[in-house]
Amino acid sequence: MDLEQLFAGLDSVRWGDVDHAYGEADDLPGIMRALAGDEQQARDALDELWSSILHQGTVYAATAEAVPFLARLVAAGVHPVELLVLLGGIAESEDAYGLPEPGACRAAVVDQLPLILPLFESGDPEVRRAAVWAAGRAGSVSVLPALRRGWRRAEEAPGVRAELLAALAHLDPEGTAATATAAVSADAPDRLRMVALLVCVDLGLPWTPAHQDAMVSLLPAGPHVVDRFDLQRNEPLHYTVHRLLLRDTDRDRSAAYDLIEAALRLPGAEARGEALWAAEHACLISRSAPGRLAGALLSLLADPSFTDTASLLPVLGKLGDQAAGAAPALAALAAMDGEPADRALEVLVRVAPEQAGPLLARDLGRRERTMRAVTGLSGLRPALPLPYGPELVNAIRIRLTEIAGSDEPRGGDAAELAVLLLGWGRQAAAALPEVTAVFQRHPARVARALAAVCPPEHRDETADLLRRAAESGDPDDRYEAADALRALTGETGPLVSVLKEVLAEGARQELPRTAGELGSDGLVLVPHLRAALTPQGDGPRSNPAMNADVQTALALWRLTGDAAEAVAVLGGVLAEAADGMWTRWPVANAARAAACIGAAGAALAPALGPLLDDPVQAPGAVIALRSLGHGLDDARAADLLLSSAERNAEWATALDALGALGPGVLTPEVRARLTALAEGDLRVVDSGLEPEIVPQDERLRIRARELLAAAKD
């Protein structure tokens, strides 16, 4: 191996002028030279290449520069399979950053096809297979003659033949349809049949009983694709269901559901596991899936051959009301010990919350997953409030007593319990003694719950306790105690005193927000609010700092009635955050603040106007601009709001804003779009935190139906 020839020109590339995932790419020459080193060096280099030049599917300017050297290594027999797979991944990437021109990385791979195509004749079937993959992903029709010759040749390796079919379909869909249909035949190798089925569904061919029978006969599908390079299609049942549902026709939906139900009837655990995963995905993208699949899924609970109830939990959590029949089985599992019981209880909270409370009470200290779900304190999802129940309140009282008497710091546990109590308010008044005891140790964690559960007969003594806590100690404790006191009695003096001291201590947006709610009692805080604003000229602000400045500006306006100062601050935030990749929330918060200020903030209109082009920011911008008196007519406003909702971009804000425009904007076209949002089968909310996709989409449907109903009244 002539390394000097392989790496000729490597050091002539200005690697420091091009970037990969981690910045300047001047480390790439060393990484690529390591590919020709010993086995460990090469493995490490391969890992670094995947991480840097094809990071999570993204390609960079440095990627295109590296491609010729990688192709030379392949042609020289240096880790050809691994590097061909990398080249194929580079060629198929649709996610690019900093390229000199669109498609530069794919074009770089196409330029190296003369080094890749001869490997179709390699004596190693894995090299042949990888070469076909890389060439096919390059997307150049110039590859088709070589692919067709390979298909006509008596290729004995099923994996290579399957990859040839996939590549032909990618580059010549129309010309490959008949070939793929014929390859579904039962006399073809199973691996080839499976890829042929995936090609058929990709090409949009009618999904016939023959396709259905072939797919079911090949389940479990995993073994037939276990080492395929095409990771997008490495779960064939899941992928096929996905593609059929996206066709959005009654026939294809029925075919997808029939396929899942047939797979659920198979006896093997592996095939059923694939079916459950496909069913769960179907519920995430199709509104009719829960109703159609619930019967088949619930029947598994009565099937003696099905013993893994825990494997049903993810999909049951996405069935909504349709899973009510599973409540007894969930309750039985939740009554057991261990992590599966906790997971079952979390699902039961979604399916039958009235049954979940007593079970949570029975083992409150060991249901961490369920507690995170019902409180939402993890920040990963909204809370799932439980209905009030005496058993659960008693269990909480016992836990609070343990926390109050513990020498360990257990403020987090106290905070979770406080969320439940806060939701029940005075219904949970029996817990007042225990909350009071915990308050002595963890004031900030339970202050609001203390005020919420306090009955009238204990109001004075609780107020005294909160008042004393607001006078000295940790600033967070003092603030929470003073704010809870305000909630309990309306008293603002202690809160004003605390805010005077803590406003300037950091970017906590709840502090200025609270100050702005105090009316005339908060006027004394105006100088402190001004002092809390981030000094100009100190460099870029963090998102928390910008958010705090927005709330401070809004508080100043609410307290003084003078918009000029607030408008200047908001304008500064909008200007600073306008071009940032991660500044969505400061921009959205500034738009909301501008809407509150109204016509007096008209100077902000030029900064808000460009937000209309962003579906995520458009709803807030529409509200703000109309509040400022900007000339945004009803028709355009309705179109922008509906477009945001249709793209699952701030749909709640968009539909609320559409409702605020009044029934006059609900033209036949607007009603038709609302009807599609409410009644279409494909979910509009199709991304985000997985446990929340179905509930959020159902809430969208309800809101859209409400708007349609209002149009009829």
Side-chain angles (χ1 to χ4, degrees):
M1 183 192 309
D2 187 346
L3 293 181
E4 187 173 336
Q5 184 176 354
L6 281 178
F7 295 119
L10 181 64
D11 294 323
S12 299
V13 177
R14 298 172 63 91
W15 295 104
D17 292 343
V18 292
D19 285 351
H20 54 41
Y22 303 107
E24 294 180 1
D26 44 16
D27 57 343
L28 281 184
I31 294 172
M32 287 190 282
R33 285 191 170 96
L35 290 168
D38 62 39
E39 184 175 349
Q40 187 57 54
Q41 288 176 319
R43 290 295 161 198
D44 291 344
L46 283 166
D47 289 343
E48 289 187 61
L49 281 175
W50 276 96
S51 178
S52 60
I53 67 173
L54 188 58
H55 183 76
Q56 298 180 353
T58 302
V59 292
Y60 307 84
T63 310
E65 296 288 353
V67 163
F69 303 102
L70 300 177
R72 288 183 209 169
L73 289 163
V74 165
V78 178
H79 302 287
V81 174
E82 292 88 344
L83 292 179
L84 283 166
V85 174
L86 177 60
L87 289 169
I90 290 169
E92 72 168 351
S93 174
E94 299 290 341
D95 186 9
Y97 181 78
L99 296 188
E101 57 186 35
C105 290
R106 181 176 292 114
V109 176
V110 170
D111 288 344
Q112 301 307 314
L113 286 173
L115 294 178
I116 295 172
L117 293 180
L119 296 176
F120 282 22
E121 309 297 329
S122 170
D124 184 340
E126 283 304 287
V127 173
R128 295 201 301 277
R129 187 164 72 92
V132 170
W133 157 257
R137 294 296 103 182
S140 171
V141 294
S142 66
V143 176
L144 281 171
L147 291 173
R148 288 169 179 150
R149 284 194 300 273
W151 180 257
R152 289 192 296 268
R153 187 177 60 223
E155 173 62 65
E156 295 182 357
V160 180
R161 196 153 181 78
E163 207 60 68
L164 284 164
L165 179 61
L168 284 166
H170 182 62
L171 296 175
D172 181 20
E174 187 175 338
T176 310
T179 303
T181 300
V184 174
S185 168
D187 57 2
D190 287 349
R191 186 180 180 112
L192 177 59
R193 293 179 70 205
M194 181 57 73
V195 171
L197 286 166
L198 295 175
V199 167
C200 287
V201 77
D202 273 339
L203 296 182
L205 301 179
W207 191 258
T208 67
H211 293 101
Q212 193 90 326
D213 292 345
M215 177 65 79
V216 174
S217 73
L218 291 170
L219 297 177
H224 308 309
V225 294
V226 67
D227 58 351
R228 282 205 73 201
F229 307 130
D230 186 355
L231 299 181
Q232 187 182 3
R233 298 168 180 78
N234 66 353
E235 294 174 318
L237 181 61
H238 177 284
Y239 183 79
T240 299
V241 166
H242 176 82
R243 296 290 294 183
L244 288 173
L245 290 175
L246 288 186
R247 293 182 184 181
D248 201 17
T249 70
D250 290 340
R251 174 177 177 173
D252 289 307
R253 271 189 291 276
S254 181
Y257 299 148
D258 287 345
L259 184 55
I260 292 171
E261 290 169 345
L264 288 170
R265 290 192 293 269
L266 293 173
E270 191 174 350
R272 278 179 169 170
E274 292 180 4
L276 289 173
W277 173 223
E280 183 182 358
H281 182 67
C283 291
L284 290 176
I285 64 173
S286 169
R287 290 166 168 173
S288 60
R292 170 62 190 269
L293 297 174
L297 291 163
L298 297 181
S299 69
L300 286 177
L301 296 170
D303 185 342
S305 70
F306 183 75
T307 58
D308 187 12
T309 304
S311 67
L312 262 176
L313 295 177
V315 67
L316 289 178
K318 295 173 179 63
L319 291 183
D321 295 343
Q322 300 291 337
L330 288 169
L333 182 55
M336 298 180 183
D337 293 325
E339 197 267 344
D342 195 6
R343 290 172 55 210
L345 185 56
E346 180 191 10
V347 175
L348 190 63
V349 168
R350 295 178 177 276
V351 172
E354 68 286 347
Q355 296 184 43
L359 287 167
L360 178 59
R362 193 180 304 173
D363 203 5
L364 187 60
R366 295 193 294 170
R367 294 293 180 251
E368 296 179 1
R369 184 185 184 109
T370 303
M371 284 298 292
R372 287 197 301 269
V374 299
T375 63
L377 285 184
S378 67
L380 297 178
R381 63 188 68 168
L384 299 172
L386 282 172
Y388 168 82
E391 307 100 321
L392 189 50
V393 171
N394 286 335
I396 290 172
R397 295 178 68 183
I398 293 169
R399 290 283 291 163
L400 289 171
T401 300
E402 294 171 356
I403 292 169
S406 173
D407 293 331
E408 299 177 4
R410 297 178 60 181
D413 293 343
E416 282 192 330
L417 301 172
V419 169
L420 290 173
L421 296 173
L422 190 60
W424 297 326
R426 289 181 185 172
Q427 279 186 295
L432 180 65
E434 291 77 22
V435 180
T436 300
V438 171
F439 179 78
Q440 310 288 346
R441 297 196 57 192
H442 307 289
R445 304 286 188 162
V446 300
R448 297 173 194 269
L450 181 64
V453 304
C454 179
E457 62 269 24
H458 292 287
R459 182 171 175 271
D460 290 343
E461 62 196 77
T462 301
D464 286 341
L465 181 65
L466 290 167
R467 199 175 291 112
R468 289 194 299 272
E471 290 174 352
S472 63
D474 179 84
D476 284 345
D477 291 342
R478 293 177 61 203
Y479 168 73
E480 295 294 339
D483 202 31
L485 177 64
R486 178 179 63 135
L488 182 64
T489 69
E491 185 177 344
T492 61
L495 183 57
V496 169
S497 296
V498 174
L499 288 172
K500 284 181 181 179
E501 299 178 30
V502 301
L503 270 172
E505 291 186 0
R508 290 181 55 187
Q509 54 184 308
E510 69 269 23
L511 300 180
R513 185 185 299 126
T514 301
E517 296 168 356
L518 296 178
S520 60
D521 290 346
L523 282 172
V524 69
L525 296 172
V526 168
H528 302 276
L529 287 165
R530 288 177 176 143
L533 288 168
T534 305
Q536 297 302 302
D538 284 3
R541 285 173 282 188
S542 66
N543 278 6
M546 284 192 283
N547 286 328
D549 284 348
V550 168
Q551 294 303 324
T552 301
L554 195 54
L556 285 168
W557 170 73
R558 284 178 169 149
L559 293 173
T560 68
D562 182 2
E565 185 174 20
V567 167
V569 174
L570 297 177
V573 170
L574 288 169
E576 184 173 333
D579 298 324
M581 184 180 297
W582 308 111
T583 53
R584 168 189 171 188
W585 289 115
V587 171
N589 288 334
R592 291 191 189 98
C596 293
I597 293 172
L604 295 170
L608 293 166
L611 302 183
L612 297 174
D613 297 328
D614 179 353
V616 173
Q617 298 289 2
V622 167
I623 296 170
L625 286 167
R626 288 178 66 89
S627 176
L628 300 182
H630 189 271
L632 191 65
D633 63 66
D634 286 351
R636 187 177 181 219
D639 177 61
L640 288 166
L641 295 171
L642 282 168
S643 294
S644 288
E646 289 160 351
R647 299 182 194 184
N648 184 27
E650 288 298 304
W651 66 263
T653 304
L655 293 185
D656 284 346
L658 185 65
L661 293 179
V665 304
L666 299 182
T667 63
E669 179 187 353
V670 169
R671 289 199 298 271
R673 292 171 71 179
L674 274 173
T675 300
L677 284 172
E679 309 304 338
D681 187 73
L682 291 177
R683 295 198 184 277
V684 177
V685 179
D686 57 0
S687 61
L689 297 172
E690 189 178 281
E692 291 306 309
I693 288 176
V694 174
Q696 286 283 350
D697 187 70
E698 291 303 317
R699 285 192 277 274
L700 180 150
R701 298 184 78 184
I702 291 170
R703 187 69 183 106
R705 287 169 176 165
E706 289 173 348
L707 292 174
L708 287 166
K712 294 178 181 177
D713 294 341

